[in-house]
Amino acid sequence: MKKLTILFITKPMQHHIERSTYYLGKELEKFSNLTYHHVDGNLPDIIRQMSIKPDFILFNDLKPDYCPWMRNVDQVKIPKGTLVHDLHYRIPRRKRMYQKDQIPHLFVQYREAFCKWFPEFVDQMIWLPHHVPAEIYRDYSFEKDIDILMMGSLIPHLYPLRLRMFQKLKLHPGFKYFDHPGYKGIPADNRYVTGPRYAQTMNRAKIFLTCDSIYKFPVLKYYEALACRTLLLASGSAELKDLGFIDKETYVEVNETDFYEKIMFYLKNESERNRIALNGMKLVQQKHTTQIRAKELLAHIQQIVKR
């Protein structure tokens, strides 16, 4: 089967804190003829200037910090789709752009929230969950010298469970917390734990704590912790279950009333903690690496261009 030629319209993401689409692009390069476009422009002119006409045009979320501004998108009849990350960002504007630009294929990270907030676009949804690069998020075989680890935002109205866990544990001698560095460029002083160092710190933890926010988003931290062979204690959902996050098998589901009791139980029960953590790591290796997700995306695109 000949390689697809894909035009990926995206801002450069390699220096962002959250680099999922950068890693996705690197995997797409291995299995397709991928061309990037990083700056604002007129899409018909961009297509005319390409030496090879693309089979498919992929946008990175139609969001200013992810994707350059494109004019006259609807005038280009090549099949088009967009990655959809931050669902809660300017919902009415997103809907207008999907309709105006005639972008029929929506590769969505969060299934249930999309169905709730974008019901008129459900038929255009293709579920493409989070993923992690296996060369970074892995078992480094480090000593498990951190009992309980938490990393990331504690915004009260978004992450109430995360904040509740922090408040309960902040004086516990085995608890470590690292602040959220933001979502854009890496700070010049690089005082935050990011990139491989972030994954290595996760790998040192016996237990990692997070939650899926008030929106019930299966956020990236769920995948990252499991990939690093660390026991994840976090809130659950039906969507997480469909992704393979099974309570007491690949992670441990907690809520505001039982998280402390479960933390103490799994700190004392090393064999059970290790069993679940190993299962979780295997789940990510088998279903949620960036290479797997890139191949799934290409399979979807292959079906679209055949129509």
Side-chain angles (χ1 to χ4, degrees):
M1 184 183 297
K2 85 175 184 72
K3 282 186 175 182
L4 290 165
T5 298
I6 298 172
L7 173 61
F8 190 15
I9 298 177
T10 177
K11 292 281 183 73
M13 301 298 290
Q14 63 266 38
H15 300 301
H16 281 226
I17 297 294
E18 204 286 278
R19 303 181 198 131
S20 291
T21 46
Y22 169 73
Y23 297 132
L24 182 66
K26 300 308 287 183
E27 291 297 333
L28 291 174
E29 289 175 23
K30 298 176 184 177
F31 308 108
S32 68
N33 299 313
L34 190 71
T35 299
Y36 294 93
H37 186 87
H38 294 312
V39 297
D40 298 351
N42 180 51
L43 189 58
D45 290 342
I46 293 163
I47 298 299
R48 278 193 290 270
Q49 292 165 12
M50 294 181 69
S51 57
I52 301 175
K53 180 181 175 182
D55 299 304
F56 191 84
I57 301 169
L58 180 65
F59 296 89
N60 190 9
D61 203 32
L62 300 179
K63 188 171 179 277
D65 48 344
Y66 288 124
C67 191
W69 179 256
M70 288 290 113
R71 300 186 305 280
N72 299 313
V73 173
D74 59 316
Q75 294 181 17
V76 174
K77 302 309 176 186
I78 296 167
K80 300 182 289 284
T82 182
L83 302 173
V84 183
H85 309 299
D86 293 341
L87 287 178
H88 54 297
Y89 174 80
R90 301 183 68 175
I91 293 173
R93 178 178 178 271
R94 279 183 181 275
K95 293 182 178 183
R96 288 194 301 271
M97 290 181 72
Y98 296 153
Q99 291 167 337
K100 173 182 173 292
D101 292 339
Q102 297 178 19
I103 299 177
H105 307 292
L106 307 175
F107 300 102
V108 172
Q109 283 182 341
Y110 304 129
R111 182 190 67 192
E112 295 305 310
F114 184 87
C115 292
K116 178 180 177 181
W117 296 342
F118 297 81
E120 66 270 49
F121 294 93
V122 166
D123 289 344
Q124 296 170 228
M125 180 187 77
I126 299 169
W127 193 22
L128 197 78
H130 275 303
H131 49 86
V132 291
E135 68 275 14
I136 296 175
Y137 292 93
R138 59 183 178 87
D139 182 8
Y140 290 85
S141 300
F142 288 166
E143 179 187 353
K144 295 284 185 180
D145 59 353
I146 301 172
D147 282 349
I148 313 160
L149 178 65
M150 179 184 285
M151 305 166 96
S153 175
L154 295 176
I155 299 171
H157 69 276
L158 292 180
Y159 305 107
L161 175 57
R162 209 180 288 181
L163 180 62
R164 177 80 181 91
M165 291 190 286
F166 173 80
Q167 290 171 334
K168 177 75 173 177
L169 292 161
K170 61 185 177 182
L171 299 180
H172 190 285
F175 177 68
K176 281 192 178 295
Y177 170 73
F178 293 91
D179 198 4
H180 197 288
Y183 290 99
K184 295 187 180 180
I186 298 172
D189 60 7
N190 200 20
R191 62 188 175 86
Y192 293 100
V193 178
T194 63
R197 195 155 59 103
Y198 172 87
Q200 290 163 5
T201 304
M202 277 189 170
N203 186 226
R204 290 169 51 201
K206 296 172 184 173
I207 291 172
F208 185 81
L209 305 176
T210 196
C211 76
D212 56 358
S213 84
I214 60 169
Y215 301 123
K216 305 302 289 181
F217 290 164
V219 296
L220 192 53
K221 284 182 174 59
Y222 280 73
Y223 304 77
E224 292 168 340
L226 265 61
C228 294
R229 199 175 60 81
T230 294
L231 178 63
L232 173 68
L233 270 64
S235 46
S237 68
E239 186 168 353
L240 279 162
K241 188 175 289 187
D242 289 345
L243 289 162
F245 290 79
I246 308 300
D247 185 30
K248 298 183 182 66
E249 289 300 322
T250 54
Y251 87 121
V252 174
E253 183 175 347
V254 298
N255 57 43
E256 289 199 1
T257 63
D258 66 8
F259 70 84
Y260 188 79
E261 177 186 350
K262 289 183 178 180
I263 289 168
M264 294 303 113
F265 174 84
Y266 285 103
L267 279 178
K268 293 174 185 173
N269 287 270
E270 182 179 6
S271 62
E272 187 67 0
R273 185 177 73 234
N274 289 342
R275 179 188 70 81
I276 299 170
L278 181 61
N279 287 343
M281 183 178 70
K282 289 178 179 177
L283 168 68
V284 173
Q285 290 172 345
Q286 292 166 8
K287 294 188 176 181
H288 299 304
T289 68
T290 302
Q291 183 173 107
I292 289 168
R293 204 66 80 239
K295 289 180 177 180
E296 290 172 350
L297 175 57
L298 287 172
H300 289 304
I301 294 173
Q302 193 73 249
Q303 290 301 310
I304 289 166
V305 301
K306 281 181 180 178
R307 293 174 190 167

